[in-house]
């Protein structure tokens, strides 16, 4: 468990690491301390073989209001070198990360959610990229990722107007994979993480690597990369265990090797 003084808390729940942005007085806006704390939490997730997935959420009924503008004016940076905004938006994590969004996910907060592999949203959550209203663009991944997640013209409408959508609309657009009643996003995300943990950790990591490598690449290059991943998987103990467990009609016992 993280110390009470850090603005990012971690809690181990089974094989899942629940990561909570804990600056409710600032609507969990990201300053240098949050970026450092989130980086440490993600490192904890990646380093522990007993942890299979992470859930990212915010304290006080808000996911994150994005960049802390007051801190930025004081010269604080919300970015971590090589890992982007909040230590997440440019990080390449091996393990699945789920955003559990209650309340506002605005600007950089929305970009943190977009950097996750899955999004669970409360029906009254609010997603928006209002940077154009401040003379900026959503440079933490919003402009790059949103048009890949939802239809082009809908993404452009959100990016060019800066207007938000609620969780129900996010679900309709396919932005949020699951939509819950208010207050239930974390519980649903933890349940989803348990489902992911039933699968082979090497295979989950390989899926993420292939998806990243195939993004924008010619099919021939993507398939070549995938063949390398499959060769590695086929030589693993987990593949032998998965096939044996299927034949014996029992749950697999993954070792991550």
């Amino acid at each position: 468990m993280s110390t009470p003084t850090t603005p990012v808390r971690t809690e181990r729940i089974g094989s899942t690491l629940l990561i909570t942005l804990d600056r409710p007085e600032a609507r969990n806006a990201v300053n240098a301390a949050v970026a450092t704390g989130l980086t440490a939490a993600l490192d904890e997730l990646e380093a522990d073989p007993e942890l299979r997935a992470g859930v990212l959420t915010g304290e006080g009924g808000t996911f994150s209001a994005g960049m802390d503008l007051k801190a930025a004016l004081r010269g604080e940076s919300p970015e971590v070198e090589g890992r982007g905004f909040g230590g997440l938006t440019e990080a390449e994590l091996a393990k699945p990360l789920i955003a559990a969004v209650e309340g506002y996910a605005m600007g950089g907060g929305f970009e943190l959610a977009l950097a996750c592999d899955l999004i669970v949203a409360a029906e009254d959550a609010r997603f928006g990229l209002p940077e154009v209203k401040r003379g900026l663009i959503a440079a933490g991944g919003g402009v790059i990722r949103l048009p890949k997640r939802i239809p082009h013209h809908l993404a452009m409408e959100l990016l060019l107007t800066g207007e938000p959508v609620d969780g129900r609309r996010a679900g309709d657009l396919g932005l949020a994979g699951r939509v819950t009643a208010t207050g239930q996003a974390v519980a649903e995300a933890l349940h989803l993480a348990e489902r992911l943990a039933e699968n082979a950790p090497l295979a989950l990591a390989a899926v993420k690597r292939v998806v990243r490598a195939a993004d924008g690449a010619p099919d021939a290059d993507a398939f070549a990369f995938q063949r390398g991943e499959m060769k590695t998987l086929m030589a693993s103990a987990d593949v032998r265990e998965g096939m044996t467990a299927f034949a014996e009609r029992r749950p697999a016992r993954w070792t991550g090797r």
Side-chain angles (χ1 to χ4, degrees), residues 161-251:
T161 66
E163 296 299 322
V165 295
D166 64 21
R168 289 183 295 272
R169 180 62 171 155
D172 291 341
L173 293 174
L175 180 61
R178 300 190 180 195
V179 179
T180 73
T182 301
Q184 295 302 309
V186 170
E188 181 64 22
L190 289 171
H191 174 70
L192 185 56
E194 290 177 5
R195 295 288 302 275
L196 299 183
E198 295 173 2
N199 301 321
L202 291 180
L204 294 176
V207 166
K208 293 190 60 171
R209 286 193 297 270
V210 172
V211 168
R212 283 196 295 263
D215 185 13
D219 284 354
D221 292 346
F223 275 101
F225 183 87
Q226 183 175 262
R227 280 192 288 274
E229 291 290 336
M230 281 296 295
K231 182 178 180 179
T232 300
L233 288 175
M234 290 302 294
S236 70
D238 273 0
V239 161
R240 292 191 294 275
E241 167 61 13
M243 293 179 177
T244 302
F246 177 79
E248 296 177 355
R249 299 183 180 182
R250 61 169 174 80

Side-chain angles (χ1 to χ4, degrees), residues 44-113:
E44 179 183 351
L45 170 63
E46 292 283 273
D48 191 335
E50 298 300 317
L51 293 170
R52 298 294 183 83
V55 170
L56 176 64
T57 193
E59 183 61 45
T62 291
F63 185 73
S64 174
M67 181 172 67
D68 186 329
L69 296 178
K70 294 180 180 178
L73 287 171
R74 293 195 299 268
E76 287 189 27
S77 174
E79 297 199 1
V80 174
E81 186 175 357
R83 300 177 68 153
F85 179 78
L88 172 58
T89 59
E90 297 176 45
E92 293 189 355
L93 305 177
K95 296 179 182 178
L97 184 63
I98 305 169
V101 180
E102 298 276 355
Y104 287 95
M106 303 298 288
F110 191 179
E111 291 172 314
L112 292 178

